[in-house]
């Protein structure tokens, strides 16, 4: 089925060595370990195999050095921005270039109203990026506006939020090839991992 094909994506496609043509980027955030959650769900951890992901972009709220060290076991290139519960010396915003794409990172608690599309577009223009990654709302969201891609990976641990109501654990994997990016969102519904796919092409 399509679902199983997508789930196998990480296990098979990611087994390829890193090349300039294909770059795999793990996008995650709002872990809140150990304050709001004990760990990344086991069903997600099984998919996150060391050495198969080329870059990790974290939207913040790791909360401990141990969590950062875990991410470093998955990929050498880890970029983190400061969340409202982070004590580490992370930047408020960051721009990372992967292939032909400029990718902006910002936790999102600075964006008012939180998750507001117009406010996000303003940050995208200020950073001059093709893709803007933000967090804070604990809800996955992806949308395209003026040929730019906006992605919020949600919370990989399913950490609670006073404003989000029911929280679904989620993370994102981006497959970047030349001027296109395929975004896979992994969501944990009960004991089942569901995967959706979003295509985006740079003009």
């Amino acid at each position: 089925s399509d679902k199983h094909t997508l789930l196998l994506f990480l296990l098979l496609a990611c087994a390829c060595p890193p090349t300039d043509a294909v770059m795999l980027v793990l996008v995650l955030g709002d872990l809140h370990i150990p304050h709001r959650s004990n760990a990344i769900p086991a069903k997600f951890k099984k998919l996150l195999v060391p050495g198969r992901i080329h870059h990790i972009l974290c939207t913040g709220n790791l909360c401990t050095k141990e969590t950062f060290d875990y991410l470093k076991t998955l990929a050498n290139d880890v970029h983190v921005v400061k969340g409202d519960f982070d004590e580490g010396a992370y930047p408020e915003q960051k721009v990372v270039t992967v292939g032909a794409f400029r990718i902006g990172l910002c936790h999102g608690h600075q964006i008012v109203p939180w998750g507001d599309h117009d406010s996000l577009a303003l940050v995208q223009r200020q950073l001059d990026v093709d893709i803007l990654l933000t967090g804070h709302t604990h809800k996955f969201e992806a949308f395209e506006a003026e040929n730019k891609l906006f992605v919020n990976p949600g919370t990989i641990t399913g950490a609670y939020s006073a404003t989000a109501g029911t929280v679904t654990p989620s993370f994102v994997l981006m497959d970047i090839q030349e001027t296109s990016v395929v975004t896979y969102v992994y969501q944990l519904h009960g004991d089942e991992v569901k995967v959706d796919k979003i295509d985006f092409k740079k003009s």
Side-chain angles (χ1 to χ4, degrees):
S1 69
D2 286 347
K3 181 181 75 177
H4 290 109
T5 302
L6 289 171
L7 282 171
L8 284 169
F9 173 80
L10 261 175
L11 304 176
L12 300 177
C14 300
C16 303
T19 68
D20 289 337
V22 180
M23 300 302 291
L24 292 165
V25 180
L26 172 64
V27 183
L28 77 170
D30 290 297
L31 294 90
H32 289 279
I33 299 171
H35 309 111
R36 299 190 191 181
S37 182
N38 293 325
I40 293 171
K43 294 224 169 179
F44 281 172
K45 268 198 163 181
K46 273 187 190 174
L47 295 171
L48 302 177
V49 181
R52 293 182 179 177
I53 294 158
H54 309 145
H55 308 278
I56 296 177
L57 305 180
C58 177
T59 60
N61 282 341
L62 284 171
C63 296
T64 64
K65 184 181 180 298
E66 287 78 9
T67 306
F68 177 82
D69 291 343
Y70 164 71
L71 295 182
K72 288 289 284 185
T73 69
L74 301 178
N76 289 326
D77 192 48
V78 179
H79 300 273
V80 181
V81 287
K82 190 178 183 74
D84 48 336
F85 287 90
D86 280 319
E87 294 178 2
Y90 305 120
E92 291 275 328
Q93 297 177 329
K94 192 166 193 177
V95 176
V96 180
T97 301
V98 180
F101 291 89
R102 280 174 58 85
I103 303 174
L105 265 176
C106 174
H107 176 64
H109 65 285
Q110 315 92 324
I111 295 167
V112 181
W114 295 336
D116 177 72
H117 288 195
D118 290 337
S119 301
L120 290 168
L122 182 62
V123 175
Q124 175 271 317
R125 289 192 294 272
Q126 288 170 343
L127 296 178
D128 187 25
V129 291
D130 304 296
I131 301 170
L132 180 66
L133 307 175
T134 57
H136 189 60
T137 64
H138 293 217
K139 279 189 173 182
F140 166 76
E141 184 180 31
F143 67 94
E144 199 175 321
E146 297 183 5
N147 201 43
K148 307 298 180 186
L149 182 64
F150 297 79
V151 177
N152 182 329
T155 163
I156 191 170
T157 59
Y160 77 85
S161 164
T163 58
T166 302
V167 176
T168 300
S170 60
F171 72 91
V172 162
L173 186 82
M174 291 181 154
D175 175 15
I176 294 179
Q177 304 182 34
E178 298 179 351
T179 58
S180 68
V181 54
V182 182
T183 299
Y184 296 86
V185 53
Y186 293 76
Q187 294 183 303
L188 186 62
H189 294 273
D191 285 336
E192 188 180 4
V193 176
K194 295 187 177 178
V195 189
D196 289 307
K197 185 177 86 156
I198 300 155
D199 294 294
F200 173 72
K201 196 163 182 67
K202 185 176 176 179
S203 62

